[in-house]
Amino acid sequence: MTWMSAALGLAGTLALQIGLIAFGFVTEQLRLARPQGISGLRLNVAYVVSLRLIYAVLLPVSGAATTLIVNALGGGLFALPASGVGLVFAIPCYALLMDGGEYLFHRAQHRYPVLWAMHSLHHSDPAVNVSTAPRHFWGEMVLKAVTIYALIGLLVKTNVTVVGFYTALGLYNYFLHMNLRVGFGRWSACLNSPQFHRLHHSALPEHHDCNFNQFFPVFDLLFGTYRAPKPDEYPPTGLESGEIPLRLHHMLFWPWRRHSRSPTLRTSSQPS
Ligand SMILES: [Zn+2]
Ligand SMILES: [Zn+2]
């Protein structure tokens, strides 16, 4: 890959992300889950731009593509079909496998302090909306690439078609974070929704450690972390500590924030 195609790929991905955020923001106004300002959204957009540049250096491929790299190096016990009827089964099988891996990693992020120090950036948004979706500490993707994605690459031999479909499905993550009054009611156990995922981001203690799944709540059901949203339940979001990054550098260096003594890292004890 030349530097020109890499730059085009970077610009294209960034344009897609900004376009999704803009579209999501306009859509949210139709049925807001909770009223909110746009200062957090502006900061999230600035962070997305920074994140793209960091990934371009650290991880120029998507997480799912890591499995392809591991396959190319000889990994993959079970081969997934790339065409025909088999492909119809391969896509949901791969999505379910990845979802299981994401679920385990996400549980670990909430359990182990070293991982929570990073993941808490995602949870520090007091106004969860479409722009919260890519708000993850940059080191997390690198960690996932060398752990769960690599392990899945050792387990299954996948192909570009399956990975392409899965990467497109990943855009659902933007929908999940939308500030939208949308839930799936009695079907909540079948597929994640903005209401279901909002409970995971809730600042209320009764919602702690629930609804970890990315797509299919089946893993939450299996491991006892499933929490069905009540009708009209759209709780406030953010960290229990009330920590909120106010500047881009707070987000970029989030795990080390306690050592920075930054006067602008707001907490709930301070007025907003
Ligand atoms: Zn989480
Ligand atoms: Zn989230």
Side-chain angles (χ1 to χ4, degrees):
M1 188 190 288
T2 64
W3 69 268
M4 180 64 98
S5 59
L8 283 173
L10 171 72
T13 309
L14 189 56
L16 175 68
Q17 288 186 298
I18 303 289
L20 278 170
I21 290 171
F23 177 73
F25 175 74
V26 172
T27 310
E28 284 173 354
Q29 308 314 307
L30 302 173
R31 200 172 160 83
L32 286 172
R34 298 180 69 88
Q36 57 183 224
I38 62 160
S39 59
L41 185 138
R42 277 202 308 256
L43 192 57
N44 284 345
V45 169
Y47 184 67
V48 165
V49 175
S50 312
L51 210 52
R52 271 298 123 218
L53 294 170
I54 291 169
Y55 284 167
V57 177
L58 286 183
L59 200 77
V61 291
S62 72
T66 308
T67 56
L68 285 176
I69 294 172
V70 175
N71 288 166
L73 294 173
L77 290 174
F78 308 100
L80 293 175
S83 60
V85 181
L87 182 63
V88 178
F89 294 100
I91 293 167
C93 279
Y94 182 69
L96 206 58
L97 190 63
M98 287 290 273
D99 215 32
E102 293 279 1
Y103 176 86
L104 290 176
F105 192 83
H106 197 177
R107 287 290 302 271
Q109 285 176 308
H110 281 254
R111 180 166 185 161
Y112 299 108
V114 66
L115 296 179
W116 175 246
M118 297 181 240
H119 183 57
S120 51
L121 173 64
H122 184 59
H123 282 269
S124 69
D125 199 336
V128 165
N129 60 62
V130 64
S131 69
T132 312
R135 179 184 164 131
H136 287 277
F137 181 65
W138 51 268
E140 288 187 329
M141 184 56 90
V142 182
L143 266 181
K144 281 207 272 191
V146 298
T147 53
I148 54 166
Y149 299 145
L151 273 174
I152 289 169
L154 289 173
L155 195 63
V156 293
K157 201 168 196 64
T158 188
N159 53 72
V160 178
T161 313
V162 171
V163 165
F165 269 103
Y166 179 77
T167 304
L169 284 176
L171 298 180
Y172 191 71
N173 201 33
Y174 284 81
F175 172 64
L176 292 182
H177 288 89
M178 284 173 75
N179 182 27
L180 267 182
R181 207 158 266 268
V182 170
F184 295 154
R186 70 173 73 170
W187 306 107
S188 286
C190 300
L191 188 63
N192 205 344
S193 69
Q195 187 187 27
F196 186 82
H197 193 59
R198 180 166 282 268
L199 260 54
H200 178 70
H201 277 269
S202 172
L204 305 179
E206 64 260 38
H207 296 137
H208 277 185
D209 289 339
C210 74
N211 300 359
F212 288 90
N213 256 131
Q214 188 172 23
F215 293 123
F216 310 113
V218 61
F219 294 101
D220 278 308
L221 279 168
L222 280 174
F223 294 104
T225 51
Y226 178 80
R227 165 80 153 74
K230 295 178 188 140
D232 288 323
E233 190 176 29
Y234 292 90
T237 60
L239 292 172
E240 199 178 341
S241 66
E243 286 173 294
I244 305 166
L246 296 180
R247 301 279 183 271
L248 186 58
H249 66 273
H250 296 154
M251 301 174 89
L252 291 169
F253 300 102
W254 177 255
W256 302 281
R257 65 196 178 281
R258 294 207 170 82
H259 305 292
S260 70
R261 300 180 185 280
S262 171
T264 49
L265 188 71
R266 191 172 67 202
T267 68
S268 57
S269 59
Q270 296 169 293
S272 57

